[in-house]
Amino acid sequence: MLAAIIAFCLYKTVPEVRSQMKSAEIQNHVTTLITANKEDTSYPFSARSWQALHDENTDFRGYLMFQSGLIEEPVVQSFDNEDYLHKAFDGEYDGAGTVFLDSRASLDSKNLTLYGHYVYYDSNSRFTPLEKLMDQEGYEDNQSVFLFLEGEVRTYLVSSVLFITEDEAEYYDYSCPDMTEFEYRDWISYVNMKNLIDPVAGKVNEKDRLLTLQTCKKWDPSQRILVICREISRLPY
């Protein structure tokens, strides 16, 4: 019996350990590429960094970075939203997957949605740290977000943090990149009503261009955490 229990524990644990090691290996490699290609700019990311990551993976679209350092992740986009669920940046298997942009979106879309796993065995991996934003103090410490694209950095401010259930998600297609005017107005109203934080820089409104970050709610697969960020600038870098 003891041997069976040990075997089962190893069966459950070994894949997680391997995924954690794989994730750490990829993140170290990405960080090395960014540092090695750093240019003399005011940003911790450069055009050479973008090109180096794109040379590694042509699905690479940008680099997501919280100013506080809470999250730093490469962002990819594929032909559907299943491709990178369990695939590392280098194309090999990784249970934690890679942060990815909704397959329907273009970078000109008014609403960009990025998906990242909640990784139970690593509190710093992928979008796991987003849960810290549900607390007002945690939100205020981590409200500035950069998205480095090819030759352009977009700056966002976190304005809403909320839970959404599966039933609510069926009604609000919140990841739709280009909603109708009515859908957008309806969604913005819902976001502000469900907001768990008091946004320092103000609520989102119908004129805002949004960046939505999605991950799972811990121990509750029927709900998702959404972090809604409003765009405040676009600049070359």
Side-chain angles (χ1 to χ4, degrees):
M1 178 66 74
L2 179 60
I5 293 173
I6 292 173
F8 178 75
C9 289
L10 288 173
Y11 170 76
K12 297 294 288 183
T13 304
V14 169
E16 291 185 353
V17 172
R18 286 177 177 169
S19 283
Q20 190 169 8
M21 292 174 63
K22 179 66 176 178
S23 295
E25 175 188 328
I26 291 295
Q27 188 57 51
N28 288 338
H29 179 62
V30 167
T31 301
T32 298
L33 284 176
I34 292 171
T35 303
N37 289 280
K38 180 73 172 68
E39 296 178 85
D40 186 19
T41 71
S42 58
Y43 295 107
F45 195 85
S46 71
R48 282 173 50 189
S49 299
W50 190 95
Q51 190 60 54
L53 288 170
H54 191 263
D55 289 344
E56 293 272 314
N57 183 345
T58 56
D59 288 338
F60 174 71
R61 294 292 177 270
Y63 197 75
L64 179 73
M65 181 184 294
F66 276 68
Q67 188 173 30
S68 64
L70 180 72
I71 292 173
E72 294 189 15
E73 293 283 346
V75 176
V76 295
Q77 186 183 33
S78 187
F79 55 90
D80 66 32
N81 289 338
E82 303 289 327
D83 195 27
Y84 279 93
L85 281 176
H86 302 295
K87 188 164 78 172
F89 186 73
D90 65 359
E92 297 183 8
Y93 176 82
D94 182 358
T98 305
V99 173
F100 61 92
L101 173 64
D102 191 280
S103 61
R104 299 172 294 174
S106 78
L107 294 177
D108 293 324
S109 298
K110 192 172 182 180
N111 178 45
L112 301 179
T113 301
L114 304 184
Y115 305 93
H117 280 300
Y118 185 100
V119 183
Y120 284 82
Y121 54 81
D122 187 350
S123 61
N124 296 313
S125 184
R126 305 304 179 262
F127 277 178
T128 313
L130 289 180
E131 65 179 359
K132 296 179 181 179
L133 301 179
M134 294 185 292
D135 171 77
Q136 183 69 23
E137 183 177 354
Y139 146 70
E140 291 181 9
D141 289 342
N142 300 284
Q143 59 180 301
S144 297
V145 181
F146 299 124
L147 182 59
F148 292 94
L149 305 172
E150 184 177 14
E152 177 184 74
V153 56
R154 297 182 187 178
T155 303
Y156 298 85
L157 289 178
V158 175
S159 295
S160 300
V161 181
L162 59 135
F163 295 121
I164 188 167
T165 67
E166 290 180 346
D167 289 341
E168 290 168 325
E170 286 186 5
Y171 177 80
Y172 297 100
D173 185 9
Y174 61 85
S175 60
C176 179
D178 297 294
M179 302 180 192
T180 66
E181 185 177 341
F182 171 79
E183 290 170 337
Y184 205 67
R185 184 168 60 247
D186 197 28
W187 173 235
I188 294 298
S189 176
Y190 173 86
V191 164
N192 289 326
M193 177 182 67
K194 296 277 286 188
N195 201 352
L196 298 172
I197 59 170
D198 180 18
V200 174
K203 299 178 179 179
V204 293
N205 62 63
E206 298 167 33
K207 296 181 180 180
D208 286 326
R209 304 184 72 88
L210 303 181
L211 176 69
T212 300
L213 312 180
Q214 178 204 285
T215 195
C216 296
K217 182 182 179 183
K218 189 176 184 180
W219 307 123
D220 188 353
S222 68
Q223 295 196 70
R224 300 289 182 267
I225 298 173
L226 299 184
V227 174
I228 313 294
C229 313
R230 61 187 188 88
E231 184 182 313
I232 60 171
S233 70
R234 296 185 183 192
L235 295 170
Y237 68 91

